[in-house]
Amino acid sequence: MRTTLKWLGVVTTLSMMVVLIGGALVTNTGSSLGCGRQWPLCNGKIFPDPLTVESLIEWLHRFCTGIASFLVFALAIWSWFAIGHKRETKFLSIISVIFLLLQAFLGMAAVVWGSSDLVMALHFGVSLISFASVLMLTLMVFEWDQKFDAGRLVLEKSMRWHTIGVTVYSFIVVYTGALVRHMNASLVCRDFPLCVNSDPSLPANRFEWVQMGHRTAALLIFVWIAYITFKAVRHYQNQRVIYWGWIIAFVLVCLQAVSGAMVVFSRMNLTFTLLHAFFISCLFGLLCYLNLVVGRVKQFAKSKDSLPLKKARVR
């Protein structure tokens, strides 16, 4: 039974990632109305007719969302009864279902009634929370045997607040990035990192302000995660979850930055655009898991000097 639940968690997490990337594909190919203004039918039919690239992409996204929804419900219910004794399980089960339904509603509303850019940008963020909750639920299933005990970790209180703060801030970065795409402002600044490298100046219109606002927000999260990673490498070598967690987070934010730059240089090549969405999804999921770990810590040191074995070798 445990093995089956673990496999269900893995499949459900992968299906939610497919839904996330599928949503980005729909947006970046202009396929949001590929099935017309009808939902869940496609131009009044079960299968897309006429069959076009746009209608096929939109239909496949809806189909994958339907499969993922079934899996999320199954994982949430099974986890509730199997590992409900863990305090986070029931909360994550509820959150995964609520945000899945909210994600579906926002997608349906955009098709049937239309939505503003501000609301559509929120759609990706809601999908991201749904994915992260499923990912954390799956990781908790793999912790079933309790081999990892977060209660033994010792952290500085500042590390705790850095973890919470950068996770909340990452959602703002995600929202600004989604807003850039839904406002069709991805290429209003054709240089990088400045809008016009040869003539640095303030943005000239709201599209450039949105684009440069997102780049500034992305720069800040890069610096913030780099700083936290420096602290983790220097002071948490004996606490592998914190040590490796932040190293991976730094690698992901670097990949996110590179893919974002390549979106501009390649003039929105679809591969780089989807990679950009993939890396931020992985990063947000990891940050949420680190928050879960930090939330379990029972010992907080007043300073880095009171951390035990801070120079111990990683094993």
Side-chain angles (χ1 to χ4, degrees):
M1 293 292 287
R2 293 187 180 186
T3 302
T4 304
L5 182 55
K6 288 179 180 179
W7 274 109
L8 176 62
V10 171
V11 173
T12 305
T13 302
L14 291 176
S15 70
M16 287 302 296
M17 177 61 80
V18 170
V19 170
L20 264 176
I21 301 304
L25 180 63
V26 167
T27 300
N28 287 284
T29 56
S31 303
S32 55
L33 293 180
C35 288
R37 289 285 182 185
Q38 296 183 343
W39 190 95
L41 297 177
C42 187
N43 295 318
K45 299 181 180 180
I46 297 178
F47 298 101
D49 184 21
L51 183 62
T52 63
V53 173
E54 291 77 12
S55 65
L56 181 60
I57 291 175
E58 172 67 4
W59 183 86
L60 285 173
H61 177 56
R62 294 185 187 182
F63 177 78
C64 291
T65 301
I67 298 297
S69 299
F70 173 79
L71 293 172
V72 170
F73 275 99
L75 178 64
I77 294 172
W78 195 345
S79 299
W80 184 292
F81 290 103
I83 56 173
H85 57 279
K86 294 186 176 183
R87 65 177 184 176
E88 304 94 349
T89 302
K90 294 181 179 180
F91 172 75
L92 289 174
S93 297
I94 293 172
I95 289 297
S96 63
V97 171
I98 288 178
F99 277 85
L100 175 71
L101 295 175
L102 181 58
Q103 168 192 345
F105 173 78
L106 289 174
M108 180 271 294
V111 170
V112 178
W113 302 303
S115 297
S116 67
D117 294 331
L118 294 174
V119 175
M120 285 307 301
L122 188 62
H123 188 199
F124 185 76
V126 169
S127 302
L128 205 55
I129 293 176
S130 182
F131 163 75
S133 61
V134 170
L135 173 63
M136 287 190 289
L137 202 55
T138 299
L139 291 173
M140 289 186 64
V141 170
F142 275 84
E143 288 180 2
W144 200 331
D145 52 14
Q146 295 290 352
K147 289 182 178 179
F148 167 62
D149 182 9
R152 296 181 180 178
L153 295 178
V154 181
L155 298 177
E156 294 178 81
K157 286 189 176 181
S158 63
M159 196 67 164
R160 177 184 187 181
W161 292 114
H162 276 305
T163 304
I164 296 172
V166 79
T167 303
V168 174
Y169 180 71
S170 70
F171 193 80
I172 298 174
V173 177
V174 168
Y175 181 82
T176 60
L179 188 60
V180 166
R181 185 63 196 93
H182 285 288
M183 289 182 64
N184 293 318
S186 300
L187 295 180
V188 295
C189 294
R190 292 177 173 263
D191 285 335
F192 187 91
L194 301 177
C195 196
V196 181
N197 292 335
S198 61
D199 182 24
S201 60
L202 290 175
N205 53 61
R206 66 189 182 99
F207 297 101
E208 291 185 359
W209 274 107
V210 170
Q211 173 63 258
M212 293 308 297
H214 173 62
R215 292 187 188 182
T216 302
L219 174 62
L220 289 176
I221 197 173
F222 176 85
V223 173
W224 197 349
I225 290 179
Y227 172 71
I228 301 173
T229 304
F230 172 77
K231 285 173 64 70
V233 170
R234 188 172 184 182
H235 303 297
Y236 294 88
Q237 296 179 19
N238 64 315
Q239 304 190 55
R240 292 187 300 173
V241 172
I242 304 300
Y243 182 87
W244 288 111
W246 284 110
I247 289 178
I248 295 172
F250 181 68
V251 171
L252 287 173
V253 80
C254 288
L255 292 173
Q256 176 70 4
V258 171
S259 62
M262 290 307 300
V263 168
V264 177
F265 293 142
S266 67
R267 299 298 183 254
M268 287 194 67
N269 176 274
L270 188 58
T271 299
F272 291 118
T273 302
L274 296 182
L275 283 174
H276 198 51
F278 173 75
F279 291 135
I280 194 59
S281 300
C282 293
L283 176 61
F284 185 76
L286 174 59
L287 292 177
C288 287
Y289 178 68
L290 289 172
N291 272 270
L292 185 147
V293 170
V294 168
R296 294 173 173 177
V297 173
K298 298 179 181 179
Q299 303 179 65
F300 289 98
K302 293 182 179 180
S303 68
K304 61 180 181 296
D305 295 323
S306 56
L307 291 172
L309 302 176
K310 66 176 183 178
K311 294 184 179 180
R313 191 177 66 180
V314 178
R315 295 182 180 180

